[in-house]
Amino acid sequence: MNAGTTLYRRVFLKLVLGASLWPLRGACADDLDSDSCSVTQAAPEGPFYVRNARETAYINYRNLPGRLMRVEGEVLGGPLGDLPLPEARVEIWHADGDGRYHPAGDGDVSEYSLDAVNLRGVGYTDAMGRYAFHSIVPGTYGGRRRHIHWKFSAPGYRTLTTQSYWREDQGGAQALTDAVDRNPDRCRWLDFSLDRKGIQVGVFNVVLKPLQ
């Protein structure tokens, strides 16, 4: 790890994780001991994954309009799935409020102009395995229910690509007819609630699978 990367991660953790986000809330924390949630289920990457997105916790850096959202959580591992994983890499991407991706393509971020990229970011967990991202609530498109794309990686663990959903949408017509990721485990349905600033806050705790 070079000095620049180390400095970035320290600043990231100080600005984002030091801002009274904890303790964690939500149903997912209670599900970690369940067999069905011991290792977080994978889901399709989809056609809009762009490699090497900006390292930032504030992924709406083009200031698109929308309802403010924060997603936070823990990345865990170990034999019992309860060991916090520091310095885990967390990638996030999702559509805007109208269901559009920025860009509506894949490949490497270097293939796009700066003003074409938004609502994508990369962060790292702190010493207690915690992360957080700030953004806007995504919209729906093409029969898909509201969702957020994720990619988690840590040394000694299998990289996990997955998606999370809004629990309030569970059982709705669009969720039932969404042909992608037909049977998400319950830990990927997130409860969102408004904080004192009117920001929708959800918690997504993730358990990675060891390589061996």
Side-chain angles (χ1 to χ4, degrees):
M1 185 185 305
N2 61 43
T5 300
T6 301
L7 178 60
Y8 159 72
R9 295 184 186 184
R10 288 176 179 171
V11 172
F12 174 90
L13 296 172
K14 180 178 181 181
L15 290 177
V16 180
L17 298 176
S20 66
L21 301 184
W22 318 106
L24 296 173
R25 300 173 295 281
C28 288
D30 297 331
D31 290 335
L32 290 178
D33 292 330
S34 168
D35 290 339
S36 63
C37 296
S38 58
V39 173
T40 303
Q41 188 182 64
E45 180 177 277
F48 304 122
Y49 172 60
V50 174
R51 299 184 303 275
N52 298 313
R54 179 183 297 191
E55 294 186 339
T56 178
Y58 297 85
I59 68 171
N60 185 20
Y61 31 85
R62 301 298 171 208
N63 295 315
L64 291 174
R67 290 175 291 166
L68 297 179
M69 172 185 75
R70 185 174 75 241
V71 185
E72 58 195 49
E74 295 176 290
V75 179
L76 304 166
L80 301 178
D82 58 357
L83 178 68
L85 299 181
E87 297 290 336
R89 180 182 173 92
V90 185
E91 300 179 64
I92 181 175
W93 68 101
H94 62 75
D96 65 19
D98 295 320
R100 295 189 296 263
Y101 284 84
H102 302 266
D106 57 7
D108 192 87
V109 72
S110 62
E111 300 170 21
Y112 299 93
S113 62
L114 292 177
D115 60 0
V117 181
N118 197 27
L119 302 178
R120 305 170 180 275
V122 177
Y124 298 89
T125 57
D126 70 359
M128 299 179 67
R130 304 176 302 186
Y131 72 90
F133 289 99
H134 298 251
S135 188
I136 55 175
V137 176
T140 61
Y141 64 90
R144 295 287 338 259
R145 56 194 180 270
R146 287 186 296 177
H147 61 282
I148 300 173
H149 293 269
W150 302 90
K151 193 180 290 287
F152 298 88
S153 55
Y157 290 84
R158 294 185 181 180
T159 296
L160 170 70
T161 301
T162 193
Q163 300 181 31
S164 64
Y165 304 99
W166 269 251
R167 193 179 301 276
E168 65 187 69
D169 295 342
Q170 191 173 18
Q174 195 155 27
L176 293 175
T177 58
D178 190 341
V180 178
D181 195 18
R182 293 301 298 269
N183 297 298
D185 56 283
R186 68 178 180 272
C187 291
R188 294 191 290 122
W189 292 95
L190 309 187
D191 291 307
F192 280 80
S193 59
L194 293 179
D195 70 5
R196 290 177 294 179
K197 296 182 179 180
I199 298 172
Q200 290 200 25
V201 182
V203 176
F204 188 27
N205 294 326
V206 171
V207 179
L208 300 185
K209 186 175 183 178
L211 288 175
Q212 296 180 348

